Amino acid sequence: MVRNLSILYPFCLLLTSCLSSAKPTVNPANLFISPDSSRCYMAKSIPSRFSNLESDVNIVTGSGLDQEKMIKITGGYFKMGSDNFSDAKPIHEVKLNSFLMDEHEVTNAQFEKFVQATGYVTVAERPLDPKEFPGVDSEMLKPGSAIFSPPKEVKDLHNHLQWWSYVIGASWKHPEGAMSSIKGRENHPVVHIAYQDAEAYAKWAGKRLPTEAEWEYAARSRTSNPLTYYWGNELLDNDRYLANIFQGQFPVQNTKLDGFIGTSPIKSFPANSIGLYDMEGNIWEWCADYYRPDYYANSNVDNPKGPEDSYDPEEPNAIKRVQRGGSFLCNDQYCERYKAGSRGKGEINSPTNNVGFRCVKDI
């Protein structure tokens, strides 16, 4: 069942964590638009359905059987950031130790093994507490997640509610809702992943989530070249797309010139020069760093791990982590943050169908 948030405004509560001690009155006038990388929507002063919920599954570190190929990223210095995005300034020098990184994004098949082994329940699948939503019909308080739903037409590109819907039953194993499945999509990246879901998988696999600096260093193939894209300065290579992004008139029509409407299977596009796939496009990837737009001015040079806490002046009560790489919804018309050096951000408990992750491991 699809619920469009422009009509059923209470469902926007399910997509954010706003840490307010007061019990709010649900009011559509509270709605405002978030410019997050996942392009979700937010509601002011409304507590998250997930803010007090934790999985009761005991994840044993390193107990998983994730044997997917990892690429050694030899440590060194590089220039991090971009002059083209305000929160990616200033460009600054960073030194990193060597580490291993997953060759590709974590897939549905990999995540399914984790769930089968541990019984883990993702944020999108967890029940809602009616006490958090006084006055809201209990029939509306059902687990689900946000899905990109292209409208027939749009008035402008400022109201993201036109193309995002809360779908009851949507989760990693039901990407488009309860009637859908991942059968035949085992090699697609897993989506509808909240930050703690990614962190739990990484712990089970004996890995961790990458820092933002590690992610960019790997995406740049360990260089500091001031390129427009991580692969070069041209979007196309002999009329061929090098990443799964959006073509056509966003969000109404995707012309599918890259071959895909939604997610693409891993390794559908060329790897970068050090052997990593999908470092641009396909899905946003969680990083370990909290998000602050001013962090680069105060970043450590040696193996930076991000600020101590989260702060986004546009949504000051939301706890956010960095997301990197862009997704199948990115394009120059609407979202350019798949380009080299750019940063994404996401509220930690707001899963969508264009957010997943990959892992790294210390050497």
Side-chain angles (χ1 to χ4, degrees):
M1 180 183 298
V2 176
R3 304 282 194 179
N4 188 290
L5 298 192
S6 63
I7 301 172
L8 295 172
Y9 57 84
F11 281 130
C12 70
L13 320 186
L14 312 181
L15 300 173
T16 184
S17 176
C18 294
L19 305 180
S20 171
S21 59
K23 288 294 182 181
T25 299
V26 179
N27 188 326
N30 283 338
L31 293 180
F32 73 111
I33 305 305
S34 167
D36 279 7
S37 54
S38 56
R39 286 309 193 264
C40 285
Y41 17 80
M42 306 284 287
K44 290 182 179 178
S45 303
I46 297 175
S48 167
R49 63 168 182 166
F50 307 123
S51 59
N52 297 316
L53 289 178
E54 295 287 344
S55 173
D56 59 3
V57 176
N58 182 25
I59 306 295
V60 179
T61 302
S63 61
L65 298 175
D66 183 342
Q67 299 178 343
E68 296 295 324
K69 182 178 178 180
M70 301 189 80
I71 302 296
K72 181 179 180 180
I73 314 297
T74 303
Y77 290 87
F78 83 111
K79 297 288 187 179
M80 182 176 180
S82 170
D83 285 331
N84 297 319
F85 302 90
S86 60
D87 62 351
K89 299 177 183 179
I91 295 175
H92 57 288
E93 186 173 71
V94 169
K95 176 188 176 183
L96 293 173
N97 296 335
S98 298
F99 58 97
L100 300 174
M101 175 174 266
D102 286 346
E103 180 185 38
H104 55 74
E105 297 148 334
V106 172
T107 65
N108 287 318
Q110 290 174 264
F111 200 80
E112 185 172 37
K113 289 180 181 178
F114 160 64
V115 170
Q116 290 174 346
T118 63
Y120 183 83
V121 178
T122 63
V123 166
E125 299 172 282
R126 298 178 197 172
L128 289 76
D129 185 355
K131 295 179 182 178
E132 292 284 326
F133 306 96
V136 177
D137 186 347
S138 61
E139 287 299 309
M140 299 171 68
L141 299 179
K142 296 181 179 180
S145 189
I147 290 180
F148 172 75
S149 302
K152 293 182 179 179
E153 61 180 3
V154 293
K155 295 180 179 179
D156 58 59
L157 293 178
H158 296 291
N159 182 1
H160 309 150
L161 292 172
Q162 296 175 95
W163 55 84
W164 283 104
S165 295
Y166 182 77
V167 179
I168 293 174
S171 69
W172 72 272
K173 58 186 174 184
H174 302 295
E176 289 83 41
M179 302 305 293
S180 65
S181 78
I182 58 171
K183 185 176 181 180
R185 289 186 278 184
E186 291 81 1
N187 286 330
H188 284 241
V190 65
V191 293
H192 295 295
I193 298 297
Y195 181 81
Q196 64 178 273
D197 303 332
E199 197 171 44
Y201 177 95
K203 179 180 178 181
W204 171 78
K207 303 177 182 180
R208 59 178 173 81
L209 296 179
T211 66
E212 183 180 14
E214 288 172 336
W215 196 98
E216 184 173 328
Y217 182 60
R220 290 187 181 277
S221 300
R222 308 194 311 269
T223 72
S224 296
N225 294 334
L227 302 173
T228 303
Y229 309 96
Y230 287 117
W231 61 74
N233 287 317
E234 300 297 329
L235 177 61
L236 302 179
D237 178 23
N238 293 322
D239 296 325
R240 178 183 61 165
Y241 279 87
L242 299 176
N244 181 11
I245 55 177
F246 194 102
Q247 301 87 46
Q249 183 184 357
F250 185 90
V252 177
Q253 182 182 22
N254 188 337
T255 56
K256 198 179 175 181
L257 294 178
D258 61 9
F260 302 97
I261 294 291
T263 60
S264 54
I266 58 170
K267 301 184 179 182
S268 295
F269 297 86
N272 69 8
S273 64
I274 58 174
L276 298 168
Y277 291 88
D278 285 324
M279 297 301 283
E280 283 184 277
N282 212 14
I283 59 169
W284 287 100
E285 300 179 17
W286 285 110
C287 292
D289 305 42
Y290 284 114
Y291 174 81
R292 294 186 72 100
D294 57 353
Y295 174 65
Y296 282 12
N298 305 297
S299 173
N300 293 330
V301 173
D302 192 5
N303 294 291
K305 293 179 170 55
E308 295 183 357
D309 57 10
S310 163
Y311 179 70
D312 182 355
E314 294 176 337
E315 295 165 355
N317 293 321
I319 300 176
K320 297 187 180 183
R321 301 269 185 170
V322 172
Q323 296 171 342
R324 283 300 199 114
S327 79
F328 61 85
L329 297 179
C330 284
N331 63 40
D332 292 352
Q333 178 188 9
Y334 171 61
C335 173
E336 295 184 277
R337 288 180 176 263
Y338 67 103
K339 293 182 176 179
S342 61
R343 311 172 73 200
K345 55 186 176 180
E347 195 281 323
I348 58 172
N349 291 319
S350 294
T352 65
N353 70 325
N354 67 336
V355 175
F357 68 107
R358 78 177 73 209
C359 301
V360 298
K361 191 172 185 178
D362 294 320
I363 297 177

